[in-house]
Amino acid sequence: MKVRVFVSLKEGVLDPQGKAVGHALASLGFKNVGDVRISRVVDLDVAAETADEARKEGEAMAKALLANEVIEDFKVEVVA
Amino acid sequence: MKVRVFVSLKEGVLDPQGKAVGHALASLGFKNVGDVRISRVVDLDVAAETADEARKEGEAMAKALLANEVIEDFKVEVVA
């Protein structure tokens, strides 16, 4: 099954990478860009019998490795 | 307007980051994980009059900076 884990910084946490991209875009002439936030999407092939089992595996992997829960939130979707 | 640019490696391009995450997950005991692919999502606040204008800005920014079109594909969505 295809599991998608969407990892994004929590509201209010500064995004230095986003800030850098914002400045780079401005220097390239894109003057109408405000806040820039960058997130990660991890697509995994998971051998699971049911979608529910695949989702639980995705959540366990997100907690164990894929997301730093101090500063990041994550969402798990079972795609197929 | 909120513009979302989804950047992912082209089919067939090796994903070393994904490979590393896959090995790390296996070493943490997640034995049922196959292929792992990692993508980026860039959320931008764009000052534009219409959704179409915002989409065009997003595409121009993706081509100029956000995606390396040699090895990456991108999709632009106007979220709000």
Side-chain angles (χ1 to χ4, degrees):
Chain A
M1 286 199 175
K2 281 233 180 283
V3 175
R4 170 162 286 183
V5 180
F6 188 88
V7 182
S8 54
L9 285 170
K10 288 186 175 181
E11 202 74 36
V13 173
L14 181 71
D15 183 350
Q17 202 180 1
K19 282 263 180 273
V21 168
H23 290 141
L25 286 170
S27 68
L28 288 170
F30 296 99
K31 301 294 182 205
N32 56 347
V33 180
D35 198 31
V36 179
R37 307 277 289 179
I38 297 181
S39 308
R40 283 191 311 282
V41 173
V42 185
D43 288 315
L44 306 127
D45 283 339
V46 176
E49 297 298 317
T50 64
D52 200 43
E53 194 187 313
R55 175 191 314 286
K56 284 194 180 109
E57 279 288 294
E59 280 162 12
M61 287 187 266
K63 287 181 193 293
L65 180 75
L66 304 177
N68 171 356
E69 291 193 272
V70 174
I71 59 167
E72 292 174 328
D73 288 323
F74 66 84
K75 268 185 312 185
V76 179
E77 284 170 36
V78 178
V79 178
Chain B
M1 287 199 172
K2 280 229 179 281
V3 175
R4 169 162 286 183
V5 180
F6 186 90
V7 181
S8 54
L9 284 170
K10 288 187 176 184
E11 202 72 38
V13 173
L14 180 71
D15 183 351
Q17 201 179 3
K19 282 265 180 268
V21 167
H23 290 141
L25 287 169
S27 67
L28 288 170
F30 296 100
K31 303 293 183 205
N32 56 346
V33 179
D35 199 30
V36 179
R37 307 276 291 178
I38 298 182
S39 309
R40 282 191 310 284
V41 173
V42 184
D43 288 316
L44 307 126
D45 282 339
V46 176
E49 297 297 317
T50 64
D52 201 43
E53 193 188 314
R55 176 190 314 284
K56 284 193 180 110
E57 278 291 291
E59 279 164 10
M61 289 187 267
K63 286 182 193 297
L65 179 74
L66 304 178
N68 171 356
E69 290 193 273
V70 174
I71 59 168
E72 292 173 328
D73 290 322
F74 67 84
K75 268 184 311 185
V76 179
E77 282 170 34
V78 179
V79 178

